[in-house]
Amino acid sequence: MKKKSSETLINHKETGTPAKTPGSLLNKPLSRRDVLKMAGVGGLGLLLGGGAAGALFTGTQAVARRKNVLNAGRAHRAAYPFYGEHQSGIITPSQNFLCFASFDLTATKLDEVRALFKKWTTAAASMTQGAMLGNESTNTNPNLPPADTGEAAGLIPSKITITFGVGPSFFDSRFGLAAKRPAAFPDLPKFRGDALQPQWCGGDIGVQVCADDLQVAFHAVRNLARLARGTAVLRWTQEGFQRTTAAEPTAGTPRNLMGFKDGTGNPDVNNAAQMKQVVWVQPEDGASWMANGSYMVVRRIRMRLEVWDRSTLDDQQQTFGRYRDSGAPLGARDEFDPLDLSAKDEAGKPVIPLNAHSRLAHMEGKTKLLRRAYSYSSGLDLKTGQLDAGLMFICYQRNIKQQFIAMQEILAAEDKLNEYITHVGSASFACFPGVAEGGYIGDRLF
């Protein structure tokens, strides 16, 4: 199939928006740049209506300035492809912002769900390339709501990725898919210390949107929710952030809100063999529809920052088993030095405490997963007067039972970090393999 333009538009047969006469001006694709052009032309028209020649010149200048600004942005445009063997947003370098959305299906028929995923596919393919939903006619008709909500008009794609998965509840009795639920995708157990709140848990469908611009990311979630109307509703959402690439051009390991580097021990995403071993589901794993997909776990972890801020630096470093400044393991010098779990101090005690977070999460090097965490801040907890802030822990793996569950059972029981954190949200999703052009999200399952 012929490759689509980077500013491909949504398929109106799938979205239900009216078709136009072939060749009609109103049927032209509408990119975010086109919207800026239209805004400039509109301003010019008003000036012409006033009959002032000087105003015409001013309007032309305005259009030129706007175009130059836009071209400047496009020169730095960076867009990840939506179609491919794997979904983007899993081993993709982490962008600056996260908008996570969990949906519940209200549809009762599998055909309705299939239609939703087709609509989301064309919409996501457009938004990841910086195109608006709809065309000129569906965005300029004064008698109808615009096809696109418009807040991303004129913005570059900002490296946005949109990653889709389905939760365990998707395989209940509603759609006849129970037999297709993978054995490697069990319900998460209740871990020791969990204080889960229903408003932050579960969901039939999970959508992870990441971008270098929060407004671009929010725009995607908002429009996916609009397209889902009548088929699915939002269950919960959470925004997240990291240090931006503008604040740290070297793109070093981000720090969490406790001040420590988060993700140093991640496997190398550029090592294809390691990604197959750790992240991507393989054909021999069963559930052939998940081959080249990955299992995602999401945990909303609230940090007791007020308590943490009163602890000494030594206690903080003993808790993580790493130096706060460099990120190096205790007893080492560089962030990426290996953990020496056998090292003892002069008193014969382990240099890295037995209950240190890094020691326990290391799993003696036998179990790995890919972390993709973001900090969150949701303002003030009015009940306690403390910050409602912490970590949106997201990880990807090939087998949830053998990787996340095995690791979290140990952390929940022994991690010194538990003095300062509480898991309040939890969800898991089977993230589909990538979509081939002409296909749609989840087509191998349906």
Side-chain angles (χ1 to χ4, degrees):
M1 176 171 290
K2 186 178 179 181
K3 187 175 182 179
K4 295 182 179 178
S5 163
S6 63
E7 295 184 345
T8 302
L9 297 186
I10 198 164
N11 183 329
H12 298 286
K13 290 183 179 179
E14 296 170 354
T15 60
T17 51
K20 297 298 177 185
T21 305
S24 165
L25 178 63
L26 296 181
N27 211 24
K28 287 178 59 180
L30 181 64
S31 69
R32 290 175 186 164
R33 182 174 66 169
D34 293 329
V35 171
L36 285 183
K37 285 181 176 178
M38 291 160 59
V41 170
L44 181 61
L46 291 173
L47 293 171
L48 286 171
L56 171 62
F57 178 69
T58 303
T60 304
Q61 283 186 317
V63 173
R65 284 198 302 270
R66 195 184 299 274
K67 187 174 182 179
N68 288 338
V69 169
L70 186 64
N71 287 338
R74 293 178 70 84
H76 296 87
R77 174 176 177 155
Y80 289 116
F82 177 75
Y83 296 105
E85 182 180 20
H86 308 291
Q87 288 198 71
S88 296
I90 297 176
I91 65 169
T92 308
S94 294
Q95 300 91 323
N96 297 334
F97 300 102
L98 162 78
C99 272
F100 195 94
S102 175
F103 290 85
D104 277 341
L105 288 163
T106 56
T108 57
K109 298 178 181 177
L110 185 58
D111 284 345
E112 297 174 290
V113 180
R114 184 184 291 111
L116 172 63
F117 277 111
K118 288 182 177 179
K119 286 195 290 186
W120 276 357
T121 298
T122 45
S126 295
M127 291 190 288
T128 53
Q129 303 308 307
M132 295 186 70
L133 306 187
N135 56 27
E136 289 186 19
S137 65
T138 58
N139 277 292
T140 57
N141 188 329
N143 299 314
L144 293 173
D148 191 291
T149 51
E151 68 268 39
L155 304 183
I156 61 174
S158 305
K159 299 181 182 177
I160 185 173
T161 56
I162 307 175
T163 311
F164 296 87
V166 290
S169 58
F170 191 81
F171 298 94
D172 61 19
S173 60
R174 287 173 294 172
F175 308 111
L177 297 173
K180 293 190 174 182
R181 179 173 176 177
F185 187 47
D187 289 330
L188 295 180
K190 177 177 172 56
F191 297 101
R192 182 176 178 180
D194 274 0
L196 301 182
Q197 301 171 9
Q199 65 267 33
W200 299 114
C201 294
D204 292 330
I205 301 171
V207 183
Q208 173 201 271
V209 179
C210 299
D212 279 348
D213 186 277
L214 184 56
Q215 188 150 314
V216 168
F218 176 82
H219 166 263
V221 169
R222 180 183 178 188
N223 281 276
L224 292 176
R226 292 180 74 203
L227 292 171
R229 194 164 296 159
T231 306
V233 295
L234 284 169
R235 180 184 177 96
W236 58 270
T237 65
Q238 179 65 63
E239 296 173 355
F241 59 91
Q242 293 183 351
R243 81 289 180 267
T244 65
T245 49
E248 190 186 25
T250 58
T253 309
R255 294 180 184 273
N256 58 35
L257 296 183
M258 291 175 160
F260 282 75
K261 296 189 175 185
D262 193 313
T264 299
N266 260 344
D268 181 4
V269 297
N270 297 308
N271 185 324
Q274 200 169 46
M275 290 300 97
K276 284 186 176 180
Q277 182 181 6
V278 176
V279 175
W280 303 124
V281 177
Q282 299 300 302
E284 61 267 27
D285 294 338
S288 59
W289 63 268
M290 268 296 290
N292 291 321
S294 189
Y295 297 105
M296 172 173 56
V297 172
V298 184
R299 304 280 285 184
R300 190 177 190 269
I301 303 174
R302 181 168 175 179
M303 295 175 172
R304 301 187 183 100
L305 294 177
E306 291 81 359
V307 179
W308 177 258
D309 292 345
R310 293 196 295 269
S311 63
T312 66
L313 176 60
D314 183 62
D315 183 67
Q316 294 180 358
Q317 294 182 152
Q318 294 284 313
T319 298
F320 275 98
R322 290 183 177 274
Y323 298 110
R324 189 178 79 159
D325 184 30
S326 65
L330 297 183
R333 301 185 64 177
D334 184 80
E335 177 187 353
F336 297 101
D337 284 345
L339 275 70
D340 186 352
L341 302 180
S342 62
K344 303 286 181 60
D345 62 16
E346 294 178 351
K349 295 181 179 180
V351 172
I352 300 176
L354 297 177
N355 60 352
H357 180 76
S358 61
R359 172 187 281 272
L360 297 174
H362 184 263
M363 299 287 285
E364 299 180 346
K366 298 177 182 176
T367 302
K368 291 183 177 294
L369 42 73
L370 181 65
R371 298 168 60 95
R372 193 181 171 85
Y374 286 83
S375 297
Y376 78 85
S377 174
S378 295
L380 195 66
D381 183 335
L382 297 179
K383 293 181 179 179
T384 64
Q386 297 179 332
L387 292 171
D388 180 7
L391 188 74
M392 274 294 284
F393 173 87
I394 298 174
C395 68
Y396 289 92
Q397 61 249 273
R398 183 174 167 182
N399 187 309
I400 284 182
K401 184 176 181 180
Q402 296 176 4
Q403 293 171 265
F404 174 77
I405 292 178
M407 186 179 294
Q408 184 57 28
E409 285 179 338
I410 293 174
L411 291 172
E414 304 177 34
D415 193 353
K416 191 175 188 301
L417 190 59
N418 293 334
E419 298 175 25
Y420 304 101
I421 62 173
T422 304
H423 290 236
V424 298
S426 180
S428 60
F429 302 96
C431 293
F432 302 109
V435 184
E437 289 195 60
Y440 62 92
I441 303 160
D443 51 4
R444 286 162 55 180
L445 171 62
F446 299 118

